[in-house]
Amino acid sequence: ELAESAADLDAIEGVGNHFELVRGLSYALPGTTLWIDAGFSDVADCAFWLPLGATLVIGSESLAAVDDWREIHAAFGESVVLSLDFDGGGRKGPDALFADPTLWPRRVIVMNLGRVGTDRGPDTDRLKSLVGMADGRAIFAAGGIRDARDLAAIADLQAHGALLATALHRNAVTQNEIAALLRERRP
């Protein structure tokens, strides 16, 4: 699945949003699924973005209670992705989301916020643990990915994919390296 992921930092911080920009991206990239994280915390937040036809990423850090997640998941089903968010202090969000994989949708991001934009590498220990709990769900790694070796390590842990930003901006991971890794991993 080819997907473009965008985090609307203004929306996450509650100081506006980039809805029109994202709408423009959806028109410019018609064959691409957009994953949007805009700090969604309830069903009303999500409904605002529905006209885009994008996949909504619900970050655990934005949820006050597990019931908020249950309502979002009930309303939008498998069209949402859950991001289990961590930082240096550990879990960010309702504890039940991290402990009970029956609450998870079919796609889950393991996001280490403390590693985003750093050269610290992915949080492979945490990723391995959550992949082990996933019971067939697609797990995506995010935060700290430095290069193609990190992508290979993530694939070795049986993660379904990875979200890249800084490594792409710095040219630390190239299109050719991604293509080579995909060729190696395909059955």
Side-chain angles (χ1 to χ4, degrees):
E1 167 183 8
L2 177 60
E4 276 296 317
S5 178
D8 187 338
L9 299 180
D10 284 350
I12 291 169
E13 293 175 2
V15 293
N17 66 60
H18 290 94
F19 182 85
E20 292 303 323
L21 176 65
V22 174
R23 183 190 344 230
L25 279 173
S26 70
Y27 292 142
L29 303 167
T32 303
T33 302
L34 294 176
W35 287 19
I36 305 299
D37 181 346
F40 305 113
S41 61
D42 58 34
V43 171
D45 285 348
C46 296
F48 175 80
W49 291 81
L50 281 181
L52 296 178
T55 296
L56 305 182
V57 176
I58 314 303
S60 62
E61 72 170 336
S62 298
L63 299 169
V66 72
D67 284 341
D68 296 328
W69 164 250
R70 285 187 176 113
E71 288 175 14
I72 291 169
H73 195 213
F76 304 106
E78 296 301 321
S79 68
V80 294
V81 174
L82 176 63
S83 179
L84 295 174
D85 300 330
F86 299 85
D87 67 8
R91 301 171 177 173
K92 295 189 61 76
D95 285 338
L97 282 178
F98 299 86
D100 185 358
T102 64
L103 294 170
W104 301 353
R106 65 181 174 88
R107 296 170 295 181
V108 178
I109 297 168
V110 177
M111 168 66 79
N112 189 314
L113 296 162
R115 294 183 185 217
V116 170
T118 71
D119 277 334
R120 294 177 50 205
D123 189 347
T124 54
D125 291 338
R126 183 165 284 138
L127 183 62
K128 182 178 181 178
S129 172
L130 292 169
V131 166
M133 295 171 60
D135 193 28
R137 291 168 182 85
I139 303 295
F140 297 83
I145 300 166
R146 298 167 291 202
D147 52 34
R149 288 185 307 270
D150 285 345
L151 291 175
I154 289 166
D156 288 344
L157 294 174
Q158 305 303 308
H160 191 77
L163 279 66
L164 296 175
T166 305
L168 291 174
H169 293 294
R170 292 181 181 162
N171 252 354
V173 176
T174 67
Q175 181 178 356
N176 289 340
E177 288 173 318
I178 293 170
L181 183 62
L182 289 172
R183 279 192 305 275
E184 288 174 17
R185 303 290 172 168
R186 288 206 173 117

